[in-house]
Coordinates of all heavy atoms in Angstrom, one line a residue:
F65 N 42.8 -56.9 23.9 CA 42.5 -58.2 24.5 C 42.3 -59.2 23.4 O 42.8 -60.4 23.6 CB 41.2 -58.0 25.3 CG 40.7 -59.3 26.0 CD1 41.3 -59.6 27.2 CD2 39.8 -60.1 25.4 CE1 40.8 -60.8 27.9 CE2 39.4 -61.3 26.0 CZ 39.9 -61.6 27.3
C66 N 41.7 -58.9 22.3 CA 41.5 -59.8 21.2 C 41.1 -59.0 20.0 O 40.1 -58.2 20.0 CB 40.4 -60.9 21.5 SG 40.2 -62.0 20.2
V68 N 39.5 -58.6 16.4 CA 38.5 -59.2 15.5 C 38.3 -58.4 14.3 O 37.9 -57.2 14.3 CB 37.2 -59.4 16.3 CG1 36.2 -60.2 15.4 CG2 37.3 -60.1 17.6
L87 N 30.9 -56.3 23.9 CA 31.9 -57.4 24.1 C 32.7 -57.2 25.4 O 32.9 -58.1 26.2 CB 32.8 -57.6 22.9 CG 32.1 -58.1 21.6 CD1 33.1 -57.9 20.4 CD2 31.8 -59.6 21.8
E90 N 30.6 -58.0 28.4 CA 30.4 -59.4 28.6 C 31.6 -60.1 29.1 O 31.5 -61.1 29.9 CB 29.9 -60.1 27.3 CG 28.5 -59.7 26.8 CD 27.4 -60.3 27.7 OE1 27.6 -61.3 28.3 OE2 26.4 -59.6 27.8
L91 N 32.8 -59.6 28.7 CA 34.0 -60.2 29.1 C 34.5 -59.6 30.4 O 35.5 -60.1 31.0 CB 35.1 -60.0 28.0 CG 34.9 -60.7 26.7 CD1 35.7 -60.1 25.6 CD2 35.3 -62.2 26.9
V99 N 38.5 -55.4 23.5 CA 38.4 -56.1 22.2 C 38.6 -55.0 21.2 O 38.0 -53.9 21.3 CB 37.1 -56.8 22.1 CG1 36.9 -57.3 20.7 CG2 37.0 -57.9 23.1
L132 N 41.0 -63.2 15.4 CA 39.8 -63.8 14.8 C 39.4 -63.1 13.6 O 39.4 -61.9 13.6 CB 38.7 -63.9 15.8 CG 38.8 -64.7 17.1 CD1 37.7 -64.4 18.1 CD2 38.8 -66.2 16.7
Y155 N 43.1 -74.9 18.2 CA 42.6 -74.1 19.4 C 41.6 -74.9 20.2 O 41.4 -74.7 21.4 CB 41.9 -72.8 18.9 CG 42.9 -71.7 18.6 CD1 43.6 -71.7 17.4 CD2 43.2 -70.7 19.5 CE1 44.5 -70.7 17.1 CE2 44.1 -69.7 19.2 CZ 44.8 -69.7 18.0 OH 45.7 -68.7 17.7
L156 N 40.8 -75.8 19.5 CA 39.8 -76.5 20.2 C 40.1 -78.0 20.2 O 40.8 -78.6 19.3 CB 38.4 -76.3 19.4 CG 38.0 -74.9 19.3 CD1 36.7 -74.8 18.4 CD2 37.8 -74.2 20.6
K160 N 35.4 -81.1 21.1 CA 34.6 -79.9 20.8 C 34.3 -79.7 19.4 O 33.2 -79.3 19.0 CB 35.4 -78.7 21.4 CG 34.7 -77.3 21.2 CD 33.4 -77.2 22.0 CE 32.8 -75.9 21.8 NZ 31.5 -75.8 22.5
E163 N 31.6 -82.0 18.3 CA 30.4 -81.5 18.8 C 29.8 -80.4 17.9 O 28.6 -80.4 17.6 CB 30.6 -81.0 20.2 CG 29.3 -80.4 20.9 CD 29.6 -79.7 22.2 OE1 30.5 -80.2 22.9 OE2 28.9 -78.8 22.5
L164 N 30.7 -79.5 17.5 CA 30.3 -78.5 16.5 C 29.9 -79.0 15.2 O 28.9 -78.6 14.5 CB 31.4 -77.5 16.4 CG 31.8 -76.6 17.6 CD1 33.1 -75.8 17.3 CD2 30.6 -75.7 17.9
I186 N 34.1 -71.8 12.0 CA 32.9 -72.1 12.8 C 31.8 -71.2 12.5 O 31.9 -69.9 12.5 CB 33.3 -71.9 14.3 CG1 34.5 -72.8 14.7 CG2 32.1 -72.3 15.2 CD1 35.0 -72.5 16.1
S187 N 30.6 -71.8 12.2 CA 29.5 -70.9 11.9 C 28.9 -70.2 13.1 O 28.8 -70.7 14.2 CB 28.3 -71.8 11.3 OG 27.1 -71.1 11.2
L188 N 28.7 -68.9 12.9 CA 28.1 -68.1 13.9 C 26.7 -67.6 13.5 O 26.2 -66.5 13.8 CB 28.9 -66.8 14.2 CG 30.3 -67.0 14.7 CD1 31.0 -65.7 15.0 CD2 30.3 -67.9 15.9
N190 N 23.9 -68.4 14.5 CA 22.9 -68.2 15.6 C 23.4 -67.2 16.6 O 22.8 -67.0 17.7 CB 22.6 -69.5 16.3 CG 22.0 -70.5 15.4 OD1 21.1 -70.2 14.6 ND2 22.4 -71.8 15.5
S191 N 24.5 -66.5 16.3 CA 25.1 -65.5 17.2 C 24.2 -64.4 17.6 O 23.6 -63.7 16.8 CB 26.4 -64.9 16.6 OG 26.9 -63.9 17.4
K192 N 23.9 -64.3 18.9 CA 23.1 -63.2 19.4 C 23.6 -61.8 19.1 O 22.8 -60.9 18.7 CB 22.9 -63.4 20.9 CG 22.0 -62.4 21.6 CD 21.8 -62.7 23.1 CE 23.2 -62.6 23.8 NZ 23.0 -62.8 25.3
I193 N 24.9 -61.6 19.3 CA 25.4 -60.3 19.1 C 25.5 -59.9 17.6 O 25.3 -58.7 17.3 CB 26.8 -60.2 19.8 CG1 27.2 -58.7 19.9 CG2 27.9 -60.9 19.0 CD1 28.3 -58.4 20.9
I207 N 33.7 -67.8 11.7 CA 34.8 -67.3 12.4 C 36.0 -68.2 12.2 O 35.8 -69.4 12.2 CB 34.5 -67.1 13.9 CG1 35.5 -66.1 14.6 CG2 34.4 -68.4 14.7 CD1 35.1 -64.7 14.5
F209 N 40.5 -68.7 13.0 CA 41.6 -68.4 14.0 C 42.9 -68.0 13.2 O 43.3 -68.7 12.3 CB 42.0 -69.6 14.9 CG 40.9 -70.0 15.8 CD1 40.0 -71.0 15.5 CD2 40.7 -69.3 17.0 CE1 39.1 -71.4 16.4 CE2 39.8 -69.7 17.9 CZ 38.9 -70.8 17.6
T216 N 45.8 -67.3 23.2 CA 44.8 -68.3 23.0 C 43.7 -68.1 24.0 O 42.5 -68.2 23.7 CB 45.4 -69.7 23.2 OG1 46.4 -69.9 22.2 CG2 44.3 -70.8 23.2
E217 N 44.0 -67.9 25.3 CA 42.9 -67.8 26.3 C 42.0 -66.7 26.0 O 40.7 -66.8 26.1 CB 43.6 -67.6 27.7 CG 42.6 -67.6 28.8 CD 43.2 -67.4 30.2 OE1 44.5 -67.4 30.3 OE2 42.5 -67.2 31.2
N218 N 42.5 -65.5 25.7 CA 41.7 -64.3 25.4 C 40.8 -64.6 24.1 O 39.7 -64.2 24.0 CB 42.5 -63.1 25.2 CG 43.2 -62.6 26.5 OD1 42.9 -63.2 27.5 ND2 44.1 -61.7 26.4
T219 N 41.4 -65.2 23.1 CA 40.8 -65.5 21.9 C 39.6 -66.4 22.1 O 38.5 -66.2 21.6 CB 41.7 -66.2 20.9 OG1 42.8 -65.3 20.6 CG2 41.0 -66.5 19.6
L220 N 39.8 -67.5 22.9 CA 38.7 -68.4 23.2 C 37.6 -67.8 24.0 O 36.4 -68.1 23.8 CB 39.2 -69.7 23.9 CG 40.1 -70.5 23.0 CD1 40.7 -71.7 23.8 CD2 39.4 -71.1 21.8
K221 N 37.9 -66.9 24.9 CA 36.9 -66.2 25.7 C 36.0 -65.3 24.8 O 34.8 -65.2 25.0 CB 37.6 -65.4 26.8 CG 38.1 -66.2 28.0 CD 38.7 -65.2 29.0 CE 39.2 -66.0 30.2 NZ 39.9 -65.1 31.2
T222 N 36.7 -64.6 23.9 CA 36.0 -63.8 22.9 C 35.1 -64.6 22.0 O 33.9 -64.2 21.7 CB 37.0 -62.9 22.1 OG1 37.8 -62.2 23.0 CG2 36.2 -62.0 21.2
L223 N 35.6 -65.7 21.6 CA 34.8 -66.6 20.7 C 33.6 -67.1 21.4 O 32.5 -67.2 20.8 CB 35.7 -67.8 20.3 CG 34.9 -68.9 19.5 CD1 34.5 -68.4 18.1 CD2 35.8 -70.2 19.3
D224 N 33.7 -67.4 22.7 CA 32.5 -67.9 23.5 C 31.4 -66.8 23.5 O 30.2 -67.2 23.4 CB 32.9 -68.2 24.9 CG 33.7 -69.5 25.1 OD1 33.7 -70.3 24.1 OD2 34.4 -69.7 26.1
I225 N 31.8 -65.6 23.6 CA 30.8 -64.5 23.6 C 30.2 -64.4 22.2 O 28.9 -64.2 22.1 CB 31.4 -63.2 24.0 CG1 32.0 -63.3 25.4 CG2 30.4 -62.0 24.0 CD1 31.1 -63.7 26.5
L226 N 31.0 -64.5 21.2 CA 30.5 -64.3 19.8 C 29.5 -65.5 19.5 O 28.6 -65.4 18.7 CB 31.6 -64.3 18.8 CG 32.5 -63.0 18.8 CD1 33.7 -63.2 18.0 CD2 31.7 -61.8 18.4
M227 N 29.7 -66.7 20.1 CA 28.9 -67.9 19.8 C 27.7 -67.9 20.6 O 26.8 -68.8 20.3 CB 29.8 -69.1 20.0 CG 30.9 -69.3 19.0 SD 31.8 -70.9 19.2 CE 30.4 -72.0 18.7
E228 N 27.5 -67.1 21.6 CA 26.3 -67.2 22.4 C 25.1 -66.9 21.6 O 25.0 -66.0 20.8 CB 26.4 -66.1 23.6 CG 27.3 -66.5 24.7 CD 27.2 -65.5 25.8 OE1 26.5 -64.5 25.7 OE2 28.0 -65.7 26.8
E229 N 24.1 -67.8 21.8 CA 22.8 -67.7 21.1 C 21.7 -67.0 21.8 O 21.8 -66.9 23.0 CB 22.4 -69.1 20.7 CG 23.4 -69.9 19.9 CD 22.9 -71.3 19.5 OE1 21.8 -71.7 19.9 OE2 23.7 -72.0 18.9

Side-chain angles (χ1 to χ4, degrees):
F65 181 82
C66 180
V68 182
L87 290 169
E90 290 293 330
L91 290 162
V99 171
L132 293 168
Y155 282 79
L156 304 176
K160 180 65 175 177
E163 179 185 331
L164 293 171
I186 303 171
S187 171
L188 297 185
N190 298 318
S191 169
K192 178 176 65 177
I193 195 166
I207 198 88
F209 294 97
T216 297
E217 183 179 354
N218 293 353
T219 300
L220 292 176
K221 286 181 179 179
T222 305
L223 176 65
D224 286 342
I225 301 301
L226 291 171
M227 291 185 68
E228 284 185 0
E229 300 179 5

